[in-house]
Short mmCIF file of all heavy atoms in Angstrom, two decimals:
data_model
loop_
_atom_site.label_atom_id
_atom_site.label_comp_id
_atom_site.label_asym_id
_atom_site.label_seq_id
_atom_site.Cartn_x
_atom_site.Cartn_y
_atom_site.Cartn_z
N PRO A 86 -128.33 79.79 69.32
CA PRO A 86 -126.96 80.03 69.78
C PRO A 86 -126.65 81.49 70.11
O PRO A 86 -125.93 81.77 71.07
CB PRO A 86 -126.11 79.53 68.60
CG PRO A 86 -126.97 78.52 67.91
CD PRO A 86 -128.35 79.07 68.03
N SER A 87 -127.18 82.43 69.33
CA SER A 87 -126.93 83.84 69.62
C SER A 87 -127.57 84.26 70.93
O SER A 87 -126.99 85.05 71.70
CB SER A 87 -127.42 84.73 68.47
OG SER A 87 -126.67 84.49 67.30
N VAL A 88 -128.77 83.75 71.21
CA VAL A 88 -129.42 84.01 72.50
C VAL A 88 -128.56 83.48 73.64
O VAL A 88 -128.38 84.14 74.67
CB VAL A 88 -130.82 83.36 72.53
CG1 VAL A 88 -131.42 83.39 73.94
CG2 VAL A 88 -131.75 84.07 71.55
N MET A 89 -128.00 82.30 73.44
CA MET A 89 -127.13 81.69 74.46
C MET A 89 -125.87 82.53 74.68
O MET A 89 -125.47 82.80 75.82
CB MET A 89 -126.78 80.26 74.04
CG MET A 89 -127.99 79.34 73.97
SD MET A 89 -127.68 77.79 73.06
CE MET A 89 -126.73 76.88 74.27
N ARG A 90 -125.26 82.95 73.60
CA ARG A 90 -124.07 83.80 73.72
C ARG A 90 -124.37 85.09 74.48
O ARG A 90 -123.62 85.47 75.39
CB ARG A 90 -123.54 84.15 72.32
CG ARG A 90 -122.34 85.11 72.34
CD ARG A 90 -122.18 85.79 71.00
NE ARG A 90 -123.40 86.53 70.64
CZ ARG A 90 -123.77 86.76 69.38
NH1 ARG A 90 -123.06 86.32 68.38
NH2 ARG A 90 -124.89 87.45 69.14
N ASP A 91 -125.46 85.75 74.13
CA ASP A 91 -125.78 87.02 74.77
C ASP A 91 -126.03 86.85 76.26
O ASP A 91 -125.62 87.71 77.07
CB ASP A 91 -127.00 87.66 74.10
CG ASP A 91 -126.73 88.06 72.65
OD1 ASP A 91 -125.55 88.11 72.25
OD2 ASP A 91 -127.71 88.32 71.91
N PHE A 92 -126.66 85.76 76.64
CA PHE A 92 -126.89 85.51 78.06
C PHE A 92 -125.56 85.28 78.78
O PHE A 92 -125.35 85.79 79.89
CB PHE A 92 -127.82 84.31 78.26
CG PHE A 92 -128.26 84.12 79.67
CD1 PHE A 92 -129.44 84.68 80.12
CD2 PHE A 92 -127.50 83.38 80.57
CE1 PHE A 92 -129.86 84.52 81.44
CE2 PHE A 92 -127.89 83.21 81.88
CZ PHE A 92 -129.08 83.77 82.32
N LEU A 93 -124.68 84.51 78.18
CA LEU A 93 -123.37 84.24 78.80
C LEU A 93 -122.56 85.53 78.96
O LEU A 93 -121.90 85.73 79.98
CB LEU A 93 -122.59 83.22 77.97
CG LEU A 93 -123.10 81.78 78.04
CD1 LEU A 93 -122.43 80.94 76.95
CD2 LEU A 93 -122.83 81.18 79.42
N VAL A 94 -122.59 86.37 77.95
CA VAL A 94 -121.88 87.65 78.05
C VAL A 94 -122.43 88.46 79.23
O VAL A 94 -121.68 89.06 80.01
CB VAL A 94 -121.98 88.43 76.74
CG1 VAL A 94 -121.46 89.86 76.90
CG2 VAL A 94 -121.20 87.72 75.63
N ALA A 95 -123.76 88.47 79.38
CA ALA A 95 -124.37 89.18 80.51
C ALA A 95 -123.97 88.56 81.84
O ALA A 95 -123.99 89.25 82.87
CB ALA A 95 -125.89 89.17 80.35
N GLN A 96 -123.60 87.28 81.82
CA GLN A 96 -123.14 86.60 83.03
C GLN A 96 -121.66 86.81 83.30
O GLN A 96 -121.12 86.30 84.27
CB GLN A 96 -123.42 85.10 82.91
CG GLN A 96 -124.88 84.72 82.97
CD GLN A 96 -125.45 84.79 84.37
OE1 GLN A 96 -124.95 84.14 85.28
NE2 GLN A 96 -126.49 85.59 84.55
N GLY A 97 -120.99 87.56 82.42
CA GLY A 97 -119.59 87.88 82.64
C GLY A 97 -118.59 87.05 81.87
O GLY A 97 -117.38 87.20 82.07
N VAL A 98 -119.07 86.17 80.99
CA VAL A 98 -118.14 85.40 80.15
C VAL A 98 -117.72 86.27 78.98
O VAL A 98 -118.57 86.80 78.26
CB VAL A 98 -118.80 84.10 79.63
CG1 VAL A 98 -117.82 83.32 78.77
CG2 VAL A 98 -119.30 83.25 80.79
N PRO A 99 -116.42 86.46 78.75
CA PRO A 99 -115.98 87.31 77.63
C PRO A 99 -116.48 86.78 76.29
O PRO A 99 -116.40 85.57 76.03
CB PRO A 99 -114.46 87.25 77.71
CG PRO A 99 -114.16 86.87 79.14
CD PRO A 99 -115.29 85.96 79.54
N ARG A 100 -116.97 87.66 75.47
CA ARG A 100 -117.51 87.26 74.17
C ARG A 100 -116.51 86.45 73.33
O ARG A 100 -116.91 85.48 72.68
CB ARG A 100 -117.96 88.52 73.42
CG ARG A 100 -118.77 88.26 72.15
CD ARG A 100 -119.08 89.58 71.45
NE ARG A 100 -119.90 89.42 70.28
CZ ARG A 100 -121.22 89.64 70.23
NH1 ARG A 100 -121.85 90.05 71.32
NH2 ARG A 100 -121.90 89.47 69.12
N PRO A 101 -115.21 86.80 73.32
CA PRO A 101 -114.27 86.01 72.51
C PRO A 101 -114.09 84.57 72.99
O PRO A 101 -113.52 83.75 72.27
CB PRO A 101 -112.95 86.79 72.63
CG PRO A 101 -113.34 88.16 73.03
CD PRO A 101 -114.54 87.99 73.89
N ARG A 102 -114.56 84.26 74.21
CA ARG A 102 -114.44 82.90 74.73
C ARG A 102 -115.64 82.03 74.38
O ARG A 102 -115.72 80.89 74.82
CB ARG A 102 -114.28 82.93 76.26
CG ARG A 102 -113.12 83.77 76.77
CD ARG A 102 -111.79 83.13 76.50
NE ARG A 102 -110.72 83.89 77.14
CZ ARG A 102 -110.22 83.64 78.35
NH1 ARG A 102 -110.68 82.62 79.03
NH2 ARG A 102 -109.25 84.38 78.83
N ILE A 103 -116.57 82.55 73.62
CA ILE A 103 -117.80 81.83 73.29
C ILE A 103 -117.83 81.53 71.79
O ILE A 103 -117.68 82.43 70.97
CB ILE A 103 -119.05 82.65 73.67
CG1 ILE A 103 -118.99 83.05 75.16
CG2 ILE A 103 -120.32 81.86 73.39
CD1 ILE A 103 -119.99 84.11 75.53
N VAL A 104 -118.02 80.27 71.45
CA VAL A 104 -118.06 79.81 70.06
C VAL A 104 -119.46 79.27 69.79
O VAL A 104 -120.03 78.56 70.62
CB VAL A 104 -117.00 78.73 69.80
CG1 VAL A 104 -117.06 78.24 68.36
CG2 VAL A 104 -115.61 79.26 70.13
N LEU A 105 -120.01 79.62 68.63
CA LEU A 105 -121.39 79.26 68.31
C LEU A 105 -121.45 78.17 67.24
O LEU A 105 -120.81 78.27 66.20
CB LEU A 105 -122.15 80.49 67.80
CG LEU A 105 -122.67 81.49 68.84
CD1 LEU A 105 -121.51 82.15 69.59
CD2 LEU A 105 -123.51 82.57 68.19
N ASP A 106 -122.24 77.15 67.55
CA ASP A 106 -122.58 76.12 66.56
C ASP A 106 -124.06 76.30 66.22
O ASP A 106 -124.94 76.03 67.05
CB ASP A 106 -122.34 74.72 67.12
CG ASP A 106 -122.82 73.62 66.19
OD1 ASP A 106 -123.12 73.92 65.01
OD2 ASP A 106 -122.89 72.46 66.63
N TYR A 107 -124.34 76.75 65.00
CA TYR A 107 -125.70 77.07 64.59
C TYR A 107 -126.50 75.87 64.08
O TYR A 107 -127.65 76.01 63.71
CB TYR A 107 -125.67 78.13 63.48
CG TYR A 107 -125.17 79.48 63.93
CD1 TYR A 107 -123.86 79.88 63.65
CD2 TYR A 107 -125.99 80.36 64.61
CE1 TYR A 107 -123.39 81.13 64.05
CE2 TYR A 107 -125.54 81.60 65.01
CZ TYR A 107 -124.23 81.98 64.72
OH TYR A 107 -123.77 83.22 65.12
N ALA A 108 -125.88 74.69 64.04
CA ALA A 108 -126.56 73.53 63.46
C ALA A 108 -126.60 72.36 64.42
O ALA A 108 -126.52 71.20 64.02
CB ALA A 108 -125.89 73.11 62.15
N GLY A 109 -126.75 72.66 65.71
CA GLY A 109 -126.92 71.60 66.70
C GLY A 109 -128.39 71.23 66.81
O GLY A 109 -129.06 71.56 67.78
N PHE A 110 -128.89 70.54 65.81
CA PHE A 110 -130.33 70.28 65.71
C PHE A 110 -130.81 69.17 66.65
O PHE A 110 -131.99 69.10 66.97
CB PHE A 110 -130.71 69.95 64.27
CG PHE A 110 -130.38 71.05 63.30
CD1 PHE A 110 -129.81 70.76 62.08
CD2 PHE A 110 -130.64 72.37 63.61
CE1 PHE A 110 -129.50 71.77 61.17
CE2 PHE A 110 -130.34 73.39 62.72
CZ PHE A 110 -129.77 73.09 61.49
N ASP A 111 -129.92 68.28 67.03
CA ASP A 111 -130.24 67.30 68.07
C ASP A 111 -128.94 66.92 68.76
O ASP A 111 -127.86 67.42 68.41
CB ASP A 111 -130.98 66.08 67.51
CG ASP A 111 -130.18 65.26 66.51
OD1 ASP A 111 -128.93 65.42 66.43
OD2 ASP A 111 -130.78 64.43 65.79
N THR A 112 -129.03 66.05 69.75
CA THR A 112 -127.85 65.75 70.57
C THR A 112 -126.74 65.11 69.74
O THR A 112 -125.56 65.47 69.88
CB THR A 112 -128.25 64.84 71.75
OG1 THR A 112 -129.29 65.47 72.50
CG2 THR A 112 -127.06 64.59 72.66
#
Side-chain angles (χ1 to χ4, degrees):
S87 294
V88 169
M89 296 165 76
R90 176 200 58 208
D91 294 346
F92 188 93
L93 287 168
V94 170
Q96 290 284 303
V98 180
R100 190 184 183 100
R102 304 288 186 93
I103 306 166
V104 179
L105 281 64
D106 174 12
Y107 293 101
F110 301 137
D111 64 16
T112 304

